[in-house]
Amino acid sequence: MKIESLGWKAANDKDFEEFRKQGFIPARIIRETRHIYEADAGSGAVQAQVSGRFIFESESRADYPTIGDWVACRDGGGILIIEELLPRKSRFSRKEAGVLTEEQIIAANIDYLCIVCGLDGGRNFSLRGIERYLSMAREGGASPVIVLNKCDIAEDRAKAVSEARNIAGNAQVFAVSALTGEGVDELLNKFDPFSTIAFSGPSGVGKSALVNSLLGSGYMRTGTQREDDLRGRHTTTHKELVVLRNGVMLIDTPGLRELQLWGGQESLDSSFSEIAQAALNCRFSDCSHQGEPGCAVVKLVESGAITEARYKNYLDMKSELAYLESRLSEKGHLDRKKKEKDLSRLVKLYARDHKK
Ligand SMILES: Nc1nc2c(ncn2[C@@H]2O[C@H](COP(=O)(O)OP(=O)(O)OP(=O)(O)O)[C@@H](O)[C@H]2O)c(=O)[nH]1
Ligand SMILES: [Mg+2]
Ligand SMILES: [Zn+2]
C-alpha cells in the first residue's frame, strides 16, 4: 500500500522536505496501545517508538503521537524510530480523566468524528452526552456525524432520530445496525476516499461491531454488555486505523466513561448556536443567563424554544470550561515558576563553574 492510500498528499511532501534532507521518512500511526505504536510508511504496519530526544523534548502527553498522527521517522533496524511529530490538521480531545489538568488526544488528523450511540434502551443514547461530543468535535476541527446504532432493536427509532436532529446543527444523523447491516452503506458513502473518520462514544454502543460490518468480517473483537444496566465492558483497549473498501480510513477507539471538556468557552457557541445568538440580546453583555433581568436566553427557555435540559447542559458545560480555564492559568503560573527556578539554578551552577 502506498503512503497516499493513508492520506498523504502532495502538499505534505513540500512540508516534509526539511525532514527528508535529514534522512527521515513520513509514516502514519495506525495502531496505539498506550505509548506502544505501530506506524505505516507505505509498506505495512511496523512497530514504532519515540526516540530519546523526542522524550526529552516533550513537555506533555499531547506532544506524543497518537492514532492518526503523521510522524517523521528513521529506520531503527526493523522498527521505526519516531523523531518528530508533524503538525496536526485536527484533533478530537478531552480533558484527561481524573485530577490531571491535561489534554488527552483521542485521535488526530480526522476529517469526521462519528459520535456512536446505541438505541438499545440503555444509557447509550443521551442527548446531553451527544451535545458534549458535538462540542468537542467542532472544537478540534473535525466535522461531527451522529450515528445511532442498534436501530434493529430500537423502541422508537423515528423519535430518536428526530431528537438527535434537533440538537445536531449541521451534523448529519444516521440510523444504522451493525447486526443487520441496515444503513451501513449509506453511512460509508457519506465519506470521500482518502478521508479519515473516527468512531467514539461510550463502551458497548457497537463501535467495533460497526467496524466489522464495514470490513465485512470479524476483524475487531466485540464485547457483551452488563445485563443489569446495559453498560459496555470496555472490550476495545487499543486504537486502530483500518482502510475500508472505498479508500476511507477508519479509526476505532476504546469506549469512554466520560468526555470531560477541553478547550475554550467559544467551543460551546458552535454547538449551542441558538443560545449564542440569543445571548447577543441580553441586557448585560456579561450576562450569565441565570436570572439577570433582561436575559434573552432565559426568555427562550420560558417560551419553550429551548428545552430546560439543553439549557441546563449548556450552563453545566460553560462552568466546566470556566473551571478548566482557571486550572490552566494556575498551572501555567506554576509551570512558569518551575522554569524560572530551574533557570536560576542553572545560572548559579554556571557562575560557580566559571569562577576564576
Ligand atoms: N442488536 C444489536 N446489537 C449490536 C449492534 N451493534 C453491536 N451490538 C452488540 O453490542 C455489544 C457491544 O458491541 P461492541 O462493538 O463491542 O461495542 P464497542 O462500542 O466497540 O465497545 P467498547 O470496545 O467497549 O468501547 C455486542 O454484544 C454487540 O454484538 C447492533 O447493531 N444491533
Ligand atoms: Mg470496541
Ligand atoms: Zn442572558
Side-chain angles (χ1 to χ4, degrees), residues 70-137:
W70 286 102
V71 287
C73 301
R74 137 177 99 64
D75 183 8
I79 67 166
L80 288 169
I81 306 294
I82 301 169
E83 292 289 356
E84 298 280 349
L85 176 68
L86 305 187
R88 294 176 172 125
K89 249 182 20 194
S90 66
R91 56 175 74 191
F92 175 60
S93 303
R94 66 165 175 175
K95 186 186 106 45
E96 183 99 38
V99 291
L100 273 186
T101 312
E102 279 218 346
E103 176 181 19
Q104 182 190 14
I105 302 176
I106 294 158
N109 299 320
I110 56 172
D111 300 296
Y112 295 94
L113 178 84
C114 291
I115 304 166
V116 186
C117 310
L119 299 181
D120 51 8
R123 41 188 124 193
N124 290 336
F125 175 64
S126 145
L127 294 173
R128 308 290 78 87
I130 295 173
E131 282 168 346
R132 285 184 161 254
Y133 278 84
L134 284 170
S135 193
M136 286 299 95

Side-chain angles (χ1 to χ4, degrees), residues 149-150 152 177-179 203-209 222-223 234-236 255:
N149 187 31
K150 308 198 189 184
D152 54 295
S177 167
L179 194 72
S203 172
V205 294
K207 296 179 293 299
S208 302
T222 61
H234 295 275
T235 306
T236 307

Side-chain angles (χ1 to χ4, degrees), residues 17-70:
E17 245 165 58
E18 266 318 297
F19 294 125
R20 211 166 306 257
K21 277 186 202 148
Q22 298 174 57
F24 296 164
I25 50 167
R28 193 165 195 192
I29 305 290
I30 58 163
R31 194 181 163 99
E32 178 196 354
T33 318
R34 285 179 198 98
H35 281 322
I36 303 180
Y37 302 109
E38 276 177 25
D40 192 337
S43 43
V46 179
Q47 211 193 316
Q49 65 187 51
V50 292
S51 70
R53 188 178 58 86
F54 191 103
I55 296 173
F56 183 74
E57 286 175 358
S58 299
E59 293 191 341
S60 71
R61 227 179 116 162
D63 293 340
Y64 279 81
T66 191
I67 192 82
D69 264 323
W70 286 102

Side-chain angles (χ1 to χ4, degrees), residues 149-171:
N149 187 31
K150 308 198 189 184
C151 72
D152 54 295
I153 49 170
E155 218 166 78
D156 192 343
R157 173 206 307 204
K159 179 163 169 266
V161 169
S162 111
E163 284 177 342
R165 282 209 175 113
N166 279 339
I167 60 162
N170 60 2

